[in-house]
Amino acid sequence: MMIDRKQIVEIAENYYTDEIQIGTVASHSALDVFDGAVEEGFKTFAVCQAGRDKTYTDYFRAQRDVEGNVVRGIVDGSVTYDRFNEVLLPENQKMLVDNNVLFIPNRSFTSYCGIDEIENDFAVPLVGSRNMLRSEERGIGQDYYWLLEKAGLPFPERINDPQDIDELSIVKLPHAVKKLERGFFTAGTYDEYLEKSRSLIKQGVITEDALASARIERYVIGPVFNFDLFYSPIEEEMNKIELLGIDWRFETSLDGHVRLPAPQQMTLAEHQLTPEYTVCGHNSATLRESLLEDVFRLAEKYVKASQKHYDPGVIGPFCLQTCIDKDLNFSIYDVAPRVGGGTNVHMSVGHPYGNTLWRKQMSTGRRVAYEVRRAVETNQLDKIIT
Ligand SMILES: Nc1ncnc2c1ncn2[C@@H]1O[C@H](COP(=O)(O)OP(=O)(O)O)[C@@H](O)[C@H]1O
Ligand SMILES: [Mg+2]
């Protein structure tokens, strides 16, 4: 059963507010979160996994002067487990609570620790909406597509049967070997779907099972804009919805393909023919001004629907991942109900939109920490944790 919000609020009520630390799983967007936390005067705590910990425990470790001001780096405290999911062990949860840690959920946290466990067992205050994390699991009953439909928001048309593929479509399924990565491919006809899927199964990139439950949808031909948004339940005077940044991703081997001339693409070996979509970096973008209001409309609708169907709804950072077609229509193809995966792009320097709104450098990480700061100062921490 989902941990009761009351229980979490009670835990946080026992925190020493002067000693609150910002913690997260040390991966994904953790650097942005830690950087923002330090900027807002918090100590930080990294939950690391052995073999991938040094970024946090060594290279970006914080050095503070006698007064506690940061001289270098961003990570104050850390723990390194053999596996990330050891953070779920009762004694390790207790350690976080004893250290007054508010935990920022990211995609690595949900992927490595498991949604059931986070919902039912992880009794550490999360900044954000615990019950919404599940919505990004494509294919479960009330996933983000379901919510987008309820909200009346545009998403790529679903194709229920591969035999109905009549124009360029994308088939979304997990990679067979690279756990947690994508085994996506595109096809313009049913024949192409058969040909490609057979080849990918033969190569061990995808499995028959995963293919059977894949989501197939129309491919939107146009640029990608991921909107790094923020919803503040404690804002009273200004709009509660903020656009902080816009990013898009570098993906292997897709980004290599688009840098080859077409004749060269045609002669690639079979194992190179179908690009992979593994995210390996981020870039920053801005949007044509006349389209910005559309984005706010999308965000307003999403937040409203989340409040109706996922009480209490979005809290803090979330990310609408969109494509824009030739008629400038948005399609939302993915939603992260938590800090997005591309926010390191405006880490520390802030983003044109966040900075413009706040009149100072405002990254997603800093915005999260600032929200905690404001909530603590106005005695409203209960409104931003679950
Ligand atoms: N309907 C679509 N049309 C065009 N490109 C898409 C579509 N859906 C996804 N993509 C591309 O695939 C990438 C990953 O898709 P996404 O649904 O976000 O997968 P994940 O859940 O693994 O993040 C996106 O960055 C985008 O470039
Ligand atoms: Mg995505």
Side-chain angles (χ1 to χ4, degrees), residues 96-242:
L96 292 176
V97 169
D98 289 345
N99 279 294
N100 306 287
V101 169
L102 295 177
F103 211 75
I104 316 299
N106 62 31
R107 186 56 175 155
S108 292
F109 178 50
T110 55
S111 296
Y112 296 115
C113 296
I115 307 266
D116 285 333
E117 289 78 0
I118 292 169
E119 285 185 350
N120 306 335
D121 306 329
F122 190 68
V124 177
L126 297 184
V127 178
S129 218
R130 187 180 298 259
N131 63 342
M132 288 202 74
L133 296 172
R134 185 178 291 279
S135 68
E136 69 178 305
E137 297 299 291
R138 226 180 340 258
I140 60 142
Q142 303 199 348
D143 64 5
Y144 67 88
Y145 291 113
W146 177 90
L147 191 56
L148 292 173
E149 187 156 19
K150 289 279 176 208
L153 284 164
F155 55 88
E157 186 196 340
R158 178 174 196 170
I159 294 153
N160 287 310
D161 186 330
Q163 298 198 47
D164 297 337
I165 296 173
D166 58 358
E167 60 177 50
L168 191 59
S169 302
I170 183 164
V171 184
K172 299 186 170 184
L173 67 170
H175 200 286
V177 187
K178 301 175 191 165
K179 297 275 171 230
L180 310 177
E181 302 294 353
R182 305 167 182 144
F184 290 11
F185 66 96
T186 53
T189 60
Y190 180 51
D191 282 345
E192 191 184 349
Y193 167 91
L194 288 177
E195 197 185 318
K196 273 197 181 157
S197 56
R198 279 180 195 142
S199 166
L200 291 172
I201 289 169
K202 196 181 79 187
Q203 295 172 55
V205 174
I206 61 173
T207 64
E208 205 72 76
D209 273 0
L211 186 65
S213 52
R215 165 140 187 141
I216 308 174
E217 62 189 38
R218 284 214 195 284
Y219 191 94
V220 181
I221 301 177
V224 166
F225 291 91
N226 298 324
F227 297 103
D228 296 314
L229 294 146
F230 195 92
Y231 178 79
S232 171
I234 62 174
E235 175 59 53
E236 271 161 19
E237 281 179 39
M238 305 291 281
N239 201 299
K240 293 180 194 293
I241 290 177
E242 301 164 28

